[in-house]
Amino acid sequence: MKISLQWIKEYVDLPSDLTAEQIAYDLTMSTVEVEGWDDTSSLFDNILVGQISAVKAHPDADRLKVCDVNLGNGETKEIVCGGSNLREEMLVAIATPGAKVRWHGEGELVELKLTKIRGVESYGMICASNEIGLGELFPADDEKEILDLSSHEFAAGTPLAEALPVCDVIYDIDNKSLTNRPDLWGHYGMARELAAIYSCELNPLPSFELPSSDAGLKLQIEATDLCRRFTGATIENVSVQPSPLWMQARLASVGQRPINLMVDLTNYVMFALGQPTHAFDANNVANNKLIVRRASKDEKLSLLDGSALELSTESLVVADETGPLSLAGIMGGETSGVSDKTTTLFFEVANWDPTHIRRDASRYNIRTESSMRFEKAIDPERALDGSKLFLHLLTTIQPNASVTGWTEHYPTPPQELSVEVEREFIINRIGKEISSAEITQKLTALGFEVSQTDDCFVVRVPSWRATGDVSIPEDIVEEVARLIGYDNIEFVAPPVELTKAIQQPRFDLDRSIRTFLAVKGGMYEIFAYPWAEEKFVQAAGFSLEHTLTICDPPSPSTKSLKTSLVPDLLEATKANLRNFATCSLFEVSRIFNGQSFSHWTIQEEKLPAQPKFCGGAIAHNDAETAFLKAKGIVTELLASLPIHKARLQEQESSAPWATKGATLTISVGKHEVGVLALASPKVLRKAGIERVHIALFELNLDLLDPKPIKERAYTPLPKYPQVDYDLALLFDQDVAWSSVEQLVKKCDPLIQSVCFADEYRGKQIPDGKKSLAFQMTLGDPKATLTSEQVQAVADKVLQRVDKELGGHLRDK
C-alpha cells in the first residue's frame, strides 16, 4: 500500500525537523513495515512550464518538428520534438539540460544534455506525461502524445514542481504487516499512529450535517447476517466533471488513476479513511429502493470492469426490484454506475461481513481495493465518517449539489470492549519499569480510554481497534511496548535451567526413520502439500468418492486431500525422471481419512483421522533390482527401530497399486502396518511413467509402538591407537555367523568389536564347508598395543574357535 506524506500532513502537524527516513524507521519499529520510500520532488529538477510560440517543420526529418518554446523571462529556445499534438500557444512540460527523464516512460532515468537531432540543436525535451512520472495524473491517449497543460493558468518558466502539486514523499507499506490492522488501510489511520508516536495533535475530520429525511430512498436488508451497517444518501444537482487538480494528484500519488469527480471522490474517501464507498446513478435504481440480499439462482451481473458473472446463490449483492446492481463490497455493476448524464446520486457506505467478502472475492477471483479492506474487518463506525467526508467534499467542490436525504440500517452496533490489566503484568512482560502515568499517556495517545483502580487498569478499546485486533491483556502490553520503542527496552537474558532431556518416543521414531532413509538408505525426502493431484490419485487406483475436498482449492484438479502417500510419490518420481535415469524418494506425512472422524480438541470441532505414514519409491530400469533394493531398505529400517520384531510376508494386499505376485505385507506384532510391492504396469501407464519400474512401500507409523530406549552412556574416543586384524577361517556350512561373532567377542577383553567381512563357497573350499572372513578391532584404553600382544590375542581366538566351533585357518 502507498501512503502520501502530504496527505498525512493534512491530518497531523508533524515536527518540522522530521526527515522522510526517520518517519520510515519509526513507523517500521512501532507499527508497520515500510519497504521503501520515494521523494518525488527530485524527479522534477530542471523541468519547467514552457509555451510553444511556433511549430516549424524539421529540415531533415518528416516526423519531427522544431518548436520555438518560451521559457519565461524573455527566453526562447528551439526544441526538436516528434509529438503528435503539438500546436502554437500550447503549455507543455520542458525538461532542460540536466533534467532526468525516462525515454517513452520505460527504463532507467537518463540525464538530458544539449544535443543536435538530425542536424538541429535541441535545448532539452518537450515531455510526455509518462516520461516524467505523471502518467497516472495525465494519462495519454497514444504514445506520441505530449503532456498538455493548456487547461491550467501557468506562467511560462514556472518550475513544474511549483505549478503542479506533485512534490511528495511516498511510502511503500508491506500489506502483510497491515493484516491485523484494518484501521491503517487509510491515511487517517496512519496519521493517528504518527500523532501518537510523535505526541502530536490529530486533526478532526470535517463534519457534515446529515438531513433528517430519507427523501424517498428505501432500504431493504434481507441478508441481515452479512450486512452490519448500510447508509444511503440522496444527492441532487450533481454534475460529472473532472476532479480538482489537488485531488487528482493525491490519487495518482498512491497509484489510483483519476477518472471523474464522482468516481474520484469515492476512491478519495477509501484512501483517506480506509472505508470503501459506492455511488449509484439514481435514475438506474428502480423505485428508489436498494435491497441487500443473496443472489437468486441463475442471476447474472456485468461489472464495471466489463466482466460478466454467473452469480452463486451464496453471493451477496446490492439490488433493486429488477435485479442486482453491484457485487457487495467488491465492485459495482455496469448498468447502475455513474455516467456523464448523471444528475442524482444514491451514495452507499456499508459494512459487510469480512469472511463473506473474502469468499466472494476468491470465488470470482476478483481482488479490489474495496474487497481487500472489507475482508480485514472494518470498524462499522467508520461508515458514518466516510459518508460525512464524501458529502462535505462534494458540496464544497460543487456548491449547487444538494443532499436531500439520508437513511441507514444499523440494527446491532457493536458493544464497547474493555480489557483489564495489572500494572505488574505490563512491567513483567515488557521487562522495564514504567510508571502508571506513562502507561496511561501511551494508551491515551492511541485513542484508548484508561481508568485506574490501585494498580489495575481498565482500558476501553476504541471502535477502530475492537474488530479483533485488541481484546486481551497481552494486546495492551504490545501497545505500550511499541510506543516506548522496542529498541529502548534493554535486553535481559532469561534464566535458563538445563534439565535432563525427556524421552519422546514418537518424535524419536519419526527422526530415526527420516535419518535412516536419507543417510543409510540413500533416499531423498520430499515435502508435498496436503492435497493430491487427481490424475495421480486415480492412477494409483484410489477412488475420489470418499476423499475430503477443499472448499477453495488451489486448482480444480487439487481439491482432494490425500488418503495415501503413493500419489505424491508417483508425481514426484515422474518429475525427477525427467532429469535422472533412476531415483529413490521418501515422504513422511499425515493423510486424511474421510470415513473416520473424531473430536480432537473441543466437542464442537469434528476432524478427520490423520494418521502419519511413511512412504517410499525406488525407480530403476530393472524390476528385480528396484524390488530387492526397496525390500533391503525396509528390512534394515524396521530392524533399526525400537519396535517389536517386524515380518515381511509374501501375501496379497488390498493396495490397489500393487502388482500381484510381487507384493509383501509388513507386520509388527499382531498388526499389519504396511505393504511393499512393485507398482503395476497399469498404474505406471496412467501416471505417464515410462521405461522404468517402481517399487513402492507405505508404512502406517501410528501402528508402530516404539519401546522406551535405554539411557545412552557417553563413551570417549580411544586415547591410544587401535589395531584392525583380519582373519579368514573355514567352518562347517551350518555354523551361523552370529555364533562366531559372540564367541570371538568373549575371547579377550582387548577385542573392542568384530565386523563381518565376507562369506565364500566355491573353488578351494571343501564340500560342506564355507569360509568366513571378519575383522577384529583390538585396543587397550591404557597403552599402545605391541605386535606381541596382538598376536597373542589372535592365537587365543584361533584356539577357542577351533575348540568350540571347529573353525581353522584356510590352507590356501
Side-chain angles (χ1 to χ4, degrees):
M1 185 176 74
K2 295 184 183 299
I3 291 293
S4 159
L5 183 57
Q6 290 301 324
W7 203 335
I8 289 286
K9 288 181 177 179
E10 180 181 329
Y11 304 127
V12 59
D13 296 322
L14 296 173
S16 58
D17 59 346
L18 268 181
T19 63
E21 185 176 8
Q22 185 64 44
I23 292 174
Y25 176 82
D26 291 338
L27 269 177
T28 298
M29 294 302 295
S30 64
T31 308
V32 293
E33 183 179 349
V34 179
E35 293 187 319
W37 56 276
D38 290 314
D39 187 346
T40 61
S41 59
S42 61
L43 299 176
F44 303 101
D45 291 344
N46 299 310
I47 301 179
L48 311 174
V49 175
Q51 186 172 34
I52 300 175
S53 54
V55 180
K56 300 171 290 186
H58 192 288
D60 195 29
D62 293 339
R63 297 185 180 181
L64 297 178
K65 303 292 183 183
V66 179
C67 301
D68 292 337
V69 182
N70 175 14
L71 297 181
N73 298 322
E75 183 181 17
T76 299
K77 296 290 186 180
E78 275 192 340
I79 300 177
V80 177
C81 181
S84 60
N85 59 329
L86 296 171
R87 68 179 189 278
E88 293 183 0
E89 305 303 321
M90 179 179 179
L91 288 178
V92 292
I94 304 299
T96 62
K100 294 182 178 180
V101 300
R102 285 187 171 86
W103 296 114
H104 306 293
E106 299 176 351
E108 299 296 323
L109 289 171
V110 177
E111 183 174 341
L112 296 182
K113 297 179 181 179
L114 191 65
T115 187
K116 287 186 176 182
I117 300 177
R118 302 292 289 269
V120 177
E121 189 172 73
S122 180
Y123 186 79
M125 174 179 173
I126 303 176
C127 301
S129 59
N130 62 355
E131 291 174 324
I132 52 176
L134 298 178
E136 290 285 355
L137 183 56
F138 299 103
D141 291 332
D142 64 72
E143 60 180 13
K144 292 186 177 182
E145 182 179 298
I146 294 301
L147 172 58
D148 188 355
L149 299 174
S150 303
S151 60
H152 304 280
E153 296 181 359
F154 300 144
T158 305
L160 192 66
E162 295 179 11
L164 298 175
V166 290
C167 292
D168 204 347
V169 175
I170 306 299
Y171 293 98
D172 190 4
I173 309 296
D174 178 14
N175 285 357
K176 295 189 293 296
S177 64
L178 294 168
T179 300
N180 67 322
R181 291 293 303 272
D183 60 306
L184 298 182
W185 282 78
H187 284 74
Y188 196 71
M190 286 291 182
R192 185 190 292 115
E193 285 292 311
L194 290 170
I197 293 170
Y198 299 119
S199 301
C200 302
E201 285 293 326
L202 180 68
N203 300 329
L205 290 168
S207 186
F208 186 87
E209 186 175 348
L210 298 170
S212 57
S213 167
D214 61 16
L217 175 60
K218 299 179 284 294
L219 302 180
Q220 180 177 325
I221 313 300
E222 297 179 3
T224 54
D225 56 326
L226 302 180
C227 180
R228 299 175 173 181
R229 189 174 192 178
F230 193 99
T231 71
T234 303
I235 313 163
E236 298 179 355
N237 300 323
V238 301
S239 60
V240 178
Q241 64 185 57
S243 302
L245 184 59
W246 65 266
M247 181 177 290
Q248 294 186 45
R250 283 194 177 174
L251 291 174
S253 70
V254 295
Q256 183 64 46
R257 183 174 177 176
I259 299 175
N260 59 53
L261 178 61
M262 301 308 153
V263 176
D264 291 351
L265 272 174
T266 61
N267 287 328
Y268 186 89
V269 171
M270 178 174 64
F271 286 109
L273 305 182
Q275 172 66 58
T277 63
H278 188 66
F280 299 95
D281 187 329
N283 292 327
N284 296 329
V285 178
N287 297 324
N288 295 342
K289 185 175 184 180
L290 293 175
I291 306 168
V292 177
R293 59 173 174 81
R294 288 177 170 82
S296 301
K297 187 177 180 181
D298 297 330
E299 270 191 321
K300 297 181 180 180
L301 175 64
S302 295
L303 299 179
L304 287 170
D305 64 357
S307 59
L309 303 182
E310 294 185 3
L311 297 174
S312 163
T313 54
E314 296 180 2
S315 294
L316 186 66
V317 296
V318 179
D320 62 8
E321 292 179 344
T322 63
L325 303 175
S326 71
L327 188 60
I330 299 175
M331 189 179 291
E334 190 174 32
T335 59
S336 62
V338 174
S339 69
D340 294 341
K341 298 179 181 180
T342 298
T343 58
T344 302
L345 292 180
F346 286 154
F347 176 63
E348 163 218 314
V349 187
N351 187 277
W352 312 104
D353 177 75
T355 303
H356 185 88
I357 297 300
R358 173 68 175 173
R359 287 175 179 167
D360 259 4
S362 299
R363 179 180 291 117
Y364 302 111
N365 195 25
I366 303 175
R367 297 298 301 280
T368 62
E369 293 285 352
S370 175
S371 69
M372 283 194 295
R373 286 163 171 79
F374 277 126
E375 67 190 31
K376 302 295 186 296
I378 295 176
D379 172 22
E381 295 297 317
R382 203 183 305 172
L384 189 60
D385 294 334
S387 186
K388 289 182 176 181
L389 179 59
F390 179 95
L391 298 175
H392 165 79
L393 291 170
L394 177 57
T395 54
T396 300
I397 297 169
Q398 291 189 354
N400 292 331
S402 174
V403 183
T404 57
W406 188 84
T407 184
E408 76 167 336
H409 164 84
Y410 196 18
T412 313
Q415 294 182 348
E416 289 187 354
L417 173 64
S418 295
V419 179
E420 293 187 8
V421 57
E422 300 281 344
R423 176 173 174 268
E424 183 179 0
F425 182 88
I426 296 175
I427 293 172
N428 288 343
R429 295 303 187 279
I430 294 178
K432 179 182 175 70
E433 186 65 30
I434 313 168
S435 67
S436 296
E438 185 177 6
I439 292 173
T440 300
Q441 184 268 324
K442 299 297 184 187
L443 292 173
T444 303
L446 290 168
F448 295 88
E449 293 181 9
V450 184
S451 59
Q452 185 179 1
T453 304
D454 297 328
D455 277 345
C456 180
F457 295 94
V458 179
V459 183
R460 191 185 74 79
V461 182
S463 62
W464 61 84
R465 299 296 302 279
T467 57
D469 177 27
V470 176
S471 59
I472 58 177
E474 285 79 4
D475 294 330
I476 303 299
V477 173
E478 181 184 2
E479 296 302 303
V480 176
R482 68 186 184 86
L483 273 199
I484 290 174
Y486 294 118
D487 48 350
N488 294 324
I489 301 173
E490 295 182 5
F491 172 73
V492 179
V496 177
E497 182 181 355
L498 297 177
T499 58
K500 185 177 178 181
I502 61 172
Q503 285 196 357
Q504 303 177 77
R506 287 287 170 191
F507 176 83
D508 293 338
L509 182 71
D510 182 286
R511 183 168 183 173
S512 296
I513 290 171
R514 295 175 193 264
T515 302
F516 181 92
L517 293 176
V519 178
K520 293 187 176 180
M523 303 178 75
Y524 290 92
E525 184 172 7
I526 66 169
F527 295 90
Y529 292 110
W531 53 81
E533 183 72 39
E534 288 185 359
K535 170 186 173 181
F536 293 97
V537 174
Q538 293 172 325
F542 294 105
S543 170
L544 296 173
E545 183 179 354
H546 299 297
T547 59
L548 296 170
T549 56
I550 305 172
C551 294
D552 187 14
S555 69
S557 62
T558 56
K559 63 184 178 183
S560 298
L561 293 175
K562 58 190 177 189
T563 57
S564 167
L565 302 185
V566 170
D568 280 348
L569 292 166
L570 289 173
E571 184 176 8
T573 299
K574 181 181 179 181
N576 278 270
L577 288 175
R578 296 193 192 105
N579 302 304
F580 307 100
T582 64
C583 65
S584 300
L585 308 174
F586 77 92
E587 178 184 7
V588 178
S589 180
R590 294 192 178 276
I591 65 170
F592 299 84
N593 188 340
Q595 295 180 294
S596 177
F597 289 81
S598 59
H599 302 281
W600 280 37
T601 52
I602 58 176
Q603 189 63 29
E604 293 78 13
E605 187 176 60
K606 198 174 183 182
L607 296 174
Q610 300 172 42
K612 180 178 283 190
F613 271 65
C614 170
I618 312 290
H620 199 277
N621 55 14
D622 180 69
E624 184 177 2
T625 301
F627 184 84
L628 291 178
K629 184 176 179 181
K631 178 183 177 183
I633 289 174
V634 171
T635 301
E636 291 190 34
L637 168 65
L638 295 172
S640 71
L641 300 176
I643 58 175
H644 293 287
K645 187 175 180 180
R647 304 183 309 279
L648 274 68
Q649 299 173 298
E650 292 187 16
Q651 184 177 332
E652 295 305 321
S653 167
S654 60
W657 47 266
T659 299
K660 292 184 178 180
T663 302
L664 298 176
T665 58
I666 305 167
S667 301
V668 175
K670 297 180 179 179
H671 299 289
E672 183 178 315
V673 300
V675 62
L676 184 158
L678 284 174
S680 70
K682 180 180 179 182
V683 168
L684 299 181
R685 186 171 60 255
K686 286 187 174 182
I689 299 173
E690 301 174 345
R691 294 186 295 276
V692 295
H693 300 274
I694 299 178
L696 296 162
F697 64 85
E698 197 170 32
L699 297 169
N700 186 339
L701 302 187
D702 284 0
L703 297 180
L704 301 183
D705 186 17
K707 296 180 291 186
I709 302 174
K710 295 181 180 179
E711 293 186 11
R712 298 178 176 89
Y714 169 70
T715 303
L717 293 172
K719 186 176 181 181
Y720 297 96
Q722 294 185 331
V723 177
D724 291 335
Y725 195 99
D726 297 335
L727 285 173
L729 305 180
L730 281 177
F731 292 92
D732 290 338
Q733 62 180 9
D734 57 352
V735 175
W737 159 248
S738 58
S739 302
V740 177
E741 181 183 25
Q742 293 172 11
L743 176 60
V744 172
K745 283 182 177 179
K746 294 187 293 183
C747 285
D748 194 284
L750 294 179
I751 299 175
Q752 304 298 316
S753 66
V754 180
C755 181
F756 174 81
D758 186 30
E759 178 181 307
Y760 176 69
R761 294 181 177 89
K763 291 183 178 180
Q764 302 175 342
I765 302 298
D767 293 339
K769 298 287 186 178
K770 66 180 177 180
S771 171
L772 287 178
F774 58 91
Q775 185 180 78
M776 300 183 297
T777 299
L778 312 181
D780 187 341
K782 298 179 180 179
T784 301
L785 293 176
T786 64
S787 58
E788 289 79 10
Q789 288 176 297
V790 173
Q791 189 58 51
V793 172
D795 292 341
K796 188 185 293 185
V797 169
L798 290 172
Q799 291 173 9
R800 289 281 301 271
V801 170
D802 185 24
K803 180 179 179 181
E804 299 186 24
L805 297 176
H808 57 84
L809 288 170
R810 288 172 52 182
D811 295 333
K812 295 181 182 180

